Amino acid sequence: SDLGMHIGTTFVGSPTCADDITLITEYPEQIQPLLDIAQEYAQNHRYELHPTKSTITCMVHQKRAYNMPDRSWVLGDKDVTISEEFTHLGLNWKSGKNMPDVQANIKKARRAAYMFLRVGLHGNDGIDPPAAHKVIQTYVTPRLLHGLEATVPSSKEIKLMDGFYKRLLRQIQALP
């Protein structure tokens, strides 16, 4: 249809992984035709898109935001809501931001680390630091970095992740 986002001549308007799809366009008037195409494709391939799980989010910065038309969009015969945030591939994105919520990744990594405290992932009489570091590399770091390979983190986000990681390493070594 030639609708949706392009980088040069390459179409990038519908990144998909398993059952998770995002429709990307610069122009609000293309939203409904893209929804119609997605709905028709789903019907032809005998699966259902859920309007209650689907949202429309304006991702441009608020200072440059185009006026979203005052209308509703539909997926099939059900309205699709306009939301300030959405989740794609497990990452939380917010309107006006060009990065997912890194704090959510840090929380996931922290929870993964806490799971291992009971089995000795701590500095006082726990498992030895090399083994603890291997546990962190295997179970915690992937949760910290999940999905960020597709983005360019700012120095602020890198400092947040670095701070978490250094505190965790100090903790498993029982350092102040």
Side-chain angles (χ1 to χ4, degrees):
S1 70
D2 204 36
L3 298 173
M5 182 69 89
H6 289 79
I7 296 177
T9 59
T10 305
F11 176 72
V12 294
S14 59
T16 306
C17 182
D19 67 344
D20 207 347
I21 183 170
T22 299
L23 302 175
I24 303 172
T25 182
E26 294 180 78
Y27 308 105
E29 62 272 7
Q30 290 184 357
I31 295 172
Q32 188 59 56
L34 286 170
L35 290 170
D36 294 341
I37 291 167
Q39 179 66 22
E40 182 181 341
Y41 184 87
Q43 286 175 338
N44 290 343
H45 290 83
R46 297 189 179 132
Y47 66 90
E48 186 177 337
L49 298 175
H50 295 280
T52 56
K53 293 182 179 180
S54 302
T55 62
I56 295 172
T57 305
C58 177
M59 294 303 295
V60 293
H61 195 276
Q62 296 302 327
K63 291 180 182 174
R64 295 184 1 229
Y66 50 77
N67 293 328
M68 291 287 280
D70 189 19
R71 59 174 280 211
S72 62
W73 287 279
V74 293
L75 189 57
D77 59 351
K78 298 206 169 74
D79 287 340
V80 179
T81 59
I82 297 175
S83 174
E84 291 296 314
E85 60 184 75
F86 68 98
T87 301
H88 181 63
L89 301 178
L91 298 172
N92 299 320
W93 296 80
K94 294 184 179 178
S95 178
K97 305 279 185 185
N98 61 357
M99 274 291 298
D101 184 9
V102 170
Q103 287 289 354
N105 280 25
I106 292 172
K107 286 179 185 177
K108 290 176 192 173
R110 185 176 291 119
R111 281 194 305 267
Y114 287 164
M115 284 188 334
F116 290 100
L117 288 177
R118 289 180 30 198
V119 294
L121 186 64
H122 50 75
N124 300 325
D125 298 324
I127 58 177
D128 61 278
H133 187 252
K134 188 68 174 173
V135 167
I136 290 171
Q137 284 180 317
T138 304
Y139 296 102
V140 179
T141 304
R143 283 159 182 82
L144 181 64
L145 301 178
H146 171 75
L148 298 179
E149 66 276 358
T151 64
V152 181
S154 70
S155 59
K156 178 184 173 189
E157 280 114 4
I158 291 172
K159 284 180 185 176
L160 286 171
M161 291 184 293
D162 186 55
F164 163 76
Y165 197 75
K166 285 179 180 176
R167 282 189 300 277
L168 182 60
L169 291 178
R170 283 194 302 266
Q171 180 181 358
I172 66 167
Q173 296 177 59
L175 298 173

